[in-house]
Amino acid sequence: MAKRIDVSALTAYYGAHKAIDGITLHVEPASVTAFIGPSGCGKSTFLRTLNRMHEVTPGGRVEGKVLLDNEDLYGQGVDPVSVRRTVGMVFQRPNPFPTMSIYDNVAAGLKLNGIKYRRSELDDIVEKNLRGANLWNEVKDRLGRPGSGLSGGQQQRLCIARATAVEPDVLLMDEPCSALDPISTLAIEDLIDKLKTEYTIVIVTHNMQQAARVSDRTAFFNLAAIGEPGRLIEVDATEKIFSNPSVQATEDYISGRFG
Amino acid sequence: MSSPSAPPPTPSPPSPMKEAGARSTTRLGDRIFSGLSKGSGIALLVIMAAIAVFLAIRAGIAIAADEGNFLTTFEWDANADPPRFGIAVLLFGTVVSSVIAMVLAVPVAVGIALFISHYAPRRLATPLAYVVDLLAAVPSIVYGLWGALYLVPRMTGPFQWLDDVLGWTGVFAYDGTPARSLMTVGLLLAVMILPIITSVTREVFLQTPKANQEAALALGATRWEVIRMTVLPFGRSGVISASMLGLGRALGETMAVATVLSPSFLINASLLESGGGTFAQNIASQFKEAGSMGRDALIASGLVLFLLTLLVNGAARLIIARRKEYSGANA
């Protein structure tokens, strides 16, 4: 089930360095929200605070609140492991497990919950998610082959299938197409459009056409200077951000005047 | 230098590119270097062949003169006339003590390596890695002395306990005599091969791609599940290679075994009671008093050790090659 995300006054640090400062943002359920902004503005850091991956980095810590349908991800006694089961993530570079077959990659997350699935159940889940990732027809005859043998675009769709197989509520995507060619990018964008009916999707992208194509809402991040923390400048409906943004900096960035 | 495919010389002035291209094959530095490396490669083969031929000839002489059966005789009277000797006891002792060492050392080494690479805070990991490496710097005779003077007297208690619990199997029967047995040797060998296995596995574990570990985390894996999903499979072939390095050392270890073991040419069903021997230990113990035939007999046993090591390494390579495409090397 897609869930709503409410972030309030979120600040993230790497050791003593403040990476993002005081971000307040709402993400609508079953929609696509794009994060855009220049390099180093903290989009990826912010994304990683949404599934508590930020704290995996040594020195990474967070202040503020992230509510997932009114449940605070940073509340007392909340296990980051269970947060990551509800908030899935797709990374910049396709990263299928090299030691596993295509099938086992998709099933990887299911083996974590301690639940034993029957082989037939597992077969169904793998097929459903590979179909969901528009990959089934390309790999159905070689499910036992290593995932690392696929093309970059196929690997990324495999990673999406792996992320959706555990049925998360939210799907975070950190520049999922930046290592892919235009055709594979198009395939992923089509997929995002299809997935948004079931998942709340947050995507970080450097490609503004992509943000305009796939997202319902767009958030623009910026930083005052190198070394300063990143801030949220504005967030609005994507058409509004790209046609008539309320902040001058957003218009400058989108029209290519800087960044 | 001219090759059949080279174009015929033309009167027109050659372009600088062509000139450079033509000269690059005959440049002096290149020729010296390629000669040197080719020479080293050939030298290695020549040396190996020389050793193999020497071993084979001397071993052949000894085996031909052997009155007993070289493979099955439980005796080593190579200096007698006629000589009677066989490697059965040595093969048993070498394999058993090395297997004990591997069984004890590999899990511990993998555990230490995982602790250093994935659990310990950096302040602890660095000195710990250093201490483990330091273990490798201790000379084997020192291990032997430590084994004989410290370990042997202290094994009596544990062996007695093993006898109480598992004595009925026969393998762990113990008669209370000083513990100069294959089990003690195996334990000592385990300590000796621990550092090499640990440091190689640690390096391999540290090379697990961060992207894969993060992928597992993002799926909701705990730290142990991350290790089981990514680090261990990724490091699998490295652990096997590291174990083989350790096994190679255990199979060939001489001084430590010779110092601890109380050898005899009997196969004792109990691993806790003294007796038995290993190839390297037997060579070291007998070489001084051996006559010409005795030496040839020892060389023959050395040849068997050489073949055994070769076999073990071949098997390890097979295991690694079988899952090559899943190894992660292409990721």
Side-chain angles (χ1 to χ4, degrees), chain B residues 1-244:
Chain B
M1 271 223 0
S2 72
S3 68
S5 63
T10 47
S12 64
S15 76
M17 275 288 275
K18 253 189 184 160
E19 202 180 17
R23 269 176 50 196
S24 71
T25 51
T26 58
R27 204 168 277 169
L28 187 63
D30 277 352
R31 265 186 303 169
I32 292 177
F33 196 76
S34 99
L36 264 177
S37 59
K38 203 184 289 175
S40 316
I42 292 170
L44 173 76
L45 289 179
V46 169
I47 293 170
M48 280 300 287
I51 293 176
V53 167
F54 168 81
L55 285 179
I57 290 177
R58 302 292 293 268
I61 295 172
I63 293 171
D66 190 357
E67 277 293 302
N69 185 319
F70 181 62
L71 293 178
T72 57
T73 303
F74 282 30
E75 220 179 307
W76 198 270
D77 286 322
N79 290 313
D81 192 25
R84 278 181 65 81
F85 56 90
I87 55 157
V89 173
L90 303 179
L91 186 63
F92 177 80
T94 305
V95 170
V96 165
S97 60
S98 299
V99 166
I100 294 172
M102 296 290 285
V103 167
L104 296 175
V106 171
V108 177
V110 169
I112 299 175
L114 274 182
F115 181 69
I116 293 175
S117 66
H118 283 83
Y119 283 95
R122 180 158 303 189
R123 266 187 326 190
L124 186 61
T126 315
L128 192 64
Y130 183 71
V131 169
V132 173
D133 286 343
L134 213 61
L135 275 180
V138 179
S140 65
I141 182 67
V142 176
Y143 274 112
L145 291 174
W146 176 75
L149 299 176
Y150 184 91
L151 200 56
V152 167
R154 277 162 186 79
M155 291 317 288
T156 320
F159 280 10
Q160 204 66 62
W161 177 81
L162 265 178
D163 179 58
D164 291 344
V165 180
L166 289 166
W168 53 272
T169 57
V171 180
F172 295 105
Y174 183 54
D175 55 9
T177 52
R180 300 178 159 273
S181 61
L182 287 178
M183 182 60 92
T184 314
V185 167
L187 186 62
L188 185 64
L189 289 176
V191 178
M192 295 177 73
I193 65 177
L194 196 63
I196 181 80
I197 304 181
T198 306
S199 55
V200 174
T201 12
R202 185 191 68 214
E203 284 309 311
V204 178
F205 287 164
L206 282 173
Q207 276 163 22
T208 313
K210 203 158 192 280
N212 288 318
Q213 298 186 51
E214 289 206 332
L217 275 176
L219 282 176
T222 61
R223 198 188 320 215
W224 165 238
E225 285 170 332
V226 171
I227 288 171
R228 227 181 42 196
M229 253 172 133
T230 63
V231 179
L232 291 180
F234 183 84
R236 189 172 171 273
S237 60
V239 173
I240 294 173
S241 310
S243 306
M244 288 308 126

Side-chain angles (χ1 to χ4, degrees), chain A residues 65-220:
Chain A
K65 267 188 182 172
V66 179
L67 302 182
L68 190 66
D69 269 6
N70 296 322
E71 198 185 331
D72 189 0
L73 299 187
Y74 287 92
Q76 272 219 316
V78 174
D79 182 3
V81 167
S82 57
V83 169
R84 292 182 203 124
R85 278 177 193 161
T86 22
V87 185
M89 191 162 196
V90 177
F91 295 82
Q92 194 168 350
R93 297 200 148 270
N95 56 359
F97 297 122
T99 53
M100 292 184 197
S101 66
I102 293 171
Y103 185 101
D104 288 338
N105 261 286
V106 182
L110 298 166
K111 291 173 180 166
L112 293 175
N113 305 312
I115 309 165
K116 285 267 175 272
Y117 291 86
R118 278 201 305 276
R119 182 73 193 188
S120 60
E121 286 177 300
L122 221 47
D123 287 349
D124 290 345
I125 296 173
V126 168
E127 178 173 346
K128 179 181 149 219
N129 285 283
L130 282 173
R131 281 189 193 283
N134 297 339
L135 191 60
W136 175 251
N137 287 327
E138 290 155 67
V139 301
K140 64 181 174 196
D141 300 322
R142 44 173 171 157
L143 293 174
R145 306 290 304 152
S148 46
L150 300 173
S151 77
Q154 290 172 324
Q155 287 189 20
Q156 194 63 301
R157 277 178 281 151
L158 177 61
C159 291
I160 293 175
R162 178 177 67 187
T164 54
V166 291
E167 302 192 337
D169 302 317
V170 179
L171 211 49
L172 307 176
M173 298 185 168
D174 189 359
E175 298 184 46
C177 303
S178 65
L180 305 183
D181 65 86
I183 293 173
S184 308
T185 300
L186 196 64
I188 303 277
E189 287 180 7
D190 286 345
L191 180 55
I192 291 172
D193 210 47
K194 182 170 118 186
L195 290 172
K196 76 172 181 184
T197 54
E198 281 180 76
Y199 303 97
T200 304
I201 295 176
V202 182
I203 176 172
V204 167
T205 177
H206 266 134
N207 177 337
M208 272 171 296
Q209 283 78 29
Q210 182 169 63
R213 281 194 299 265
V214 301
S215 72
D216 303 304
R217 283 160 59 83
T218 299
F220 173 60

Side-chain angles (χ1 to χ4, degrees), chain A residues 26-49:
Chain A
H26 308 289
V27 174
E28 298 297 326
S31 72
V32 179
T33 303
F35 292 174
I36 60 169
S39 294
C41 69
K43 320 177 285 290
S44 290
T45 302
F46 181 53
L47 192 76
R48 288 166 69 94
T49 62

Side-chain angles (χ1 to χ4, degrees), chain B residues 238-293:
Chain B
V239 173
I240 294 173
S241 310
S243 306
M244 288 308 126
L245 280 175
L247 184 56
R249 183 165 183 194
L251 288 172
E253 180 49 46
T254 311
M255 281 323 292
V257 181
T259 317
V260 168
L261 193 67
S262 151
S264 71
F265 265 83
L266 286 171
I267 291 181
N268 195 335
S270 167
L271 303 178
L272 308 183
E273 290 165 10
S274 54
T278 74
F279 286 113
Q281 166 270 324
N282 188 53
I283 294 173
S285 316
Q286 309 238 7
F287 197 74
K288 267 190 199 153
E289 291 98 55
S292 158
M293 181 53 66

Side-chain angles (χ1 to χ4, degrees), chain B residues 236 240 311-324:
Chain B
R236 189 172 171 273
I240 294 173
L311 204 76
V312 164
N313 275 312
R317 274 173 194 278
L318 259 177
I319 298 172
I320 294 168
R322 233 183 39 205
R323 281 182 60 91
K324 201 172 206 144

